[in-house]
Amino acid sequence: MEEVKRNVKVALLGSGTVGTGVYKLIERQKNEMPYKIGANLSVAKILVRNKNKKREGVDASLLTDQWEDILLDEDIQIVVEVMGGIEPARTYIMEALKAGKHVVTANKDLIAESGKELLDVAEENGCDLLFEASVAGGIPILAPLKQSLAGNYLTEVMGIVNGTTNFILSKMSEEGMEFDEALALATELGYAEADPTADIEGYDAGRKVAIMASIAFNSRVTFDDVHTEGITNITAKDIKYAKEMGCAIKLLGVAKNTETGIEVHVNPMLIPSSHPLATVSDSFNAVFVHGDAVDDTMFYGRGAGEFPTASAVMGDIIEVARNIQYHCNGRILCTCYKNLPIKKITEIESKYFMRMLVEDKPGVLAKIADTLGKTDVSIAQVIQKNKIGDYAELVVITHLVLEQNFAEALINIRGMETTKEISTVIRVY
Ligand code: NAP
Ligand code: HSE
């Protein structure tokens, strides 16, 4: 190959876990770039909050704490936003696009909230805006949904898209740990953040599912459209009982494209042990996609971490650089050309697992069945587990039932004199 004289210059916004990984990967791949993109690729500047912080393996002379140093540098063609949060990331991305710079981001919070607005500005300015790393870290999922699977009518995208909660549920299942103990271990090992709320309450997964559903169904879904429930109420006992019934409990992000609208929610769910997602353990992620032509497909890998996430960011950078080479940036931007209705959670049908303590005396079970039946909740299975004092522990599994009917049934059962408590309610896949 002839000596390549063209240079594509990149600026990183952030030099934390992901930013440092991207920097190192660009260095590692340096000699491959002329072959892969027909140009040299280098990092020209890195925006950080604190220039004096020690950063292993990063050239300190590239650091700046002034956004204008990057915005006004005409040689910088690609801005890689890996700082996180909504502001100032949103403003910087907007300004970069308006200045004709292409943007790669890993920011699911921002894309799930303002994706359309940002993609519109990218289109107006003929720029690329890619965000593969925003969903499931290193797993290639957004590009396959947009490109490789574009010949399908996709009806279902669901998966395990949060590594922290999958790690916690795996430890509870494999080692019988309780939630708090497993969360403490996730924190110690660096999986969970100092404030793990977004992970354990399902918000992080909700943002990722919103992004995937928008692309898969060609219709905008934002985080506000996603009903989210976390895993804080799941106990080791629920997991043990689920296992005895041939199921695992996983935090699943589910998006379905039905004839009556899009269903999108994040919940802990019982899933049959024979389902491929049931075997995804530790901090791994996996996304299951169903299309009318391809049938079932599954994407599996590391959903977070320095190099897995940097791998996804790097793939986007390389795509932008190739587009620059062939003058075809802005080819695939907003793919939401439909405006499908999004169902309210009360309109969605699910099966339920319900664990409860009730008085252990004749007629109680019959009364429970009668109460459930009044709001059209049909029982698929009842198992009497332990006797705890004067109470019997029951596990009830329902057939498919409308969420609003089930919610009403729960109120009625809680109101029965013979009910001590409803300990857990979990959806069944
Ligand atoms: P991080 O380790 O906290 O790093 C954030 C970096 O951004 C730091 O270098 C910080 O500077 C810089 N920064 C933050 N606010 C800034 C501001 N206002 N001005 C200038 N610099 C600022 O975060 P991360 O884990 O790398 O995550 C980055 C993004 O990737 C987030 O959107 C996250 O959701 C996403 N993501 C992360 C992972 C993962 O495994 N970590 C996986 C997928 C997606 P200082 O160093 O000076 O503080
Ligand atoms: N907190 C996220 C997780 C990091 O646990 O999966 C990747 O987005």
Side-chain angles (χ1 to χ4, degrees), residues 133-148:
S134 66
V135 177
I139 304 175
I141 182 66
L142 302 187
L145 289 176
K146 276 186 200 165
Q147 300 180 44
S148 328

Side-chain angles (χ1 to χ4, degrees), residues 301-328:
R302 293 199 179 273
E306 179 179 1
F307 282 111
T309 311
S311 162
V313 172
M314 190 67 181
D316 281 351
I317 294 173
I318 289 173
E319 184 177 341
V320 174
R322 284 178 177 149
N323 289 345
I324 292 173
Q325 170 83 338
Y326 292 104
H327 308 285
C328 60

Side-chain angles (χ1 to χ4, degrees), residues 278-334:
T279 57
V280 176
S281 66
D282 206 65
S283 63
F284 279 87
N285 282 195
V287 181
F288 180 89
V289 181
H290 183 85
D292 61 343
V294 73
D295 203 353
D296 291 339
T297 55
M298 195 161 106
F299 301 77
Y300 170 85
R302 293 199 179 273
E306 179 179 1
F307 282 111
T309 311
S311 162
V313 172
M314 190 67 181
D316 281 351
I317 294 173
I318 289 173
E319 184 177 341
V320 174
R322 284 178 177 149
N323 289 345
I324 292 173
Q325 170 83 338
Y326 292 104
H327 308 285
C328 60
N329 296 94
R331 278 184 311 128
I332 309 174
L333 288 164
C334 182

Side-chain angles (χ1 to χ4, degrees), residues 17-188:
T17 306
V18 182
T20 306
V22 174
Y23 178 84
K24 291 179 190 163
L25 214 48
I26 289 177
E27 286 295 303
R28 209 196 272 181
Q29 285 274 316
K30 200 155 58 192
N31 296 333
E32 308 292 320
M33 285 302 114
Y35 301 97
K36 288 187 180 171
I37 65 172
N40 296 303
L41 184 79
S42 61
V43 176
K45 290 191 175 88
I46 306 174
L47 182 74
V48 290
R49 262 182 305 223
N50 178 2
K51 281 203 312 177
N52 301 320
K53 202 193 260 183
K54 245 197 135 2
R55 296 167 202 275
E56 209 61 54
V58 174
D59 178 352
S61 71
L62 302 178
L63 300 177
T64 175
D65 54 11
Q66 299 299 312
W67 161 235
E68 286 70 25
D69 286 350
I70 291 168
L71 181 65
L72 301 177
D73 185 336
E74 290 186 357
D75 289 341
I76 292 173
Q77 290 179 283
I78 308 177
V79 168
V80 177
E81 187 276 304
V82 280
M83 47 193 248
I86 301 294
E87 285 293 353
R90 187 179 164 284
T91 301
Y92 292 173
I93 291 179
M94 284 285 189
E95 290 181 356
L97 293 168
K98 286 178 183 165
K101 298 183 192 302
H102 309 289
V103 174
V104 171
T105 175
N107 194 331
K108 61 231 161 192
D109 304 27
L110 184 58
I111 294 295
E113 185 179 300
S114 306
K116 175 166 173 34
E117 199 184 349
L118 294 168
L119 286 161
D120 286 349
V121 175
E123 188 169 358
E124 281 159 23
N125 292 280
C127 290
D128 282 328
L129 170 60
L130 298 179
F131 41 90
E132 182 63 66
S134 66
V135 177
I139 304 175
I141 182 66
L142 302 187
L145 289 176
K146 276 186 200 165
Q147 300 180 44
S148 328
L149 296 171
N152 283 262
Y153 179 71
L154 298 177
T155 50
E156 187 169 3
V157 182
M158 70 152 187
I160 296 165
V161 286
N162 183 269
T164 305
T165 45
N166 203 43
F167 175 83
I168 292 172
L169 292 173
S170 299
K171 286 290 158 198
M172 290 172 75
S173 170
E174 289 156 18
E175 297 176 29
M177 283 185 189
E178 277 302 343
F179 172 80
D180 289 340
E181 196 188 346
L183 172 60
L185 182 61
T187 308
E188 191 186 315

Side-chain angles (χ1 to χ4, degrees), residues 223-252:
F223 176 56
D224 288 342
D225 298 318
V226 186
H227 172 86
T228 54
E229 284 171 30
I231 62 164
T232 52
N233 291 329
I234 306 293
T235 63
K237 190 186 251 185
D238 296 318
I239 292 180
K240 180 172 169 278
Y241 289 175
K243 250 192 207 175
E244 288 168 10
M245 296 163 65
C247 291
I249 295 181
K250 294 286 181 190
L251 184 72
L252 296 182

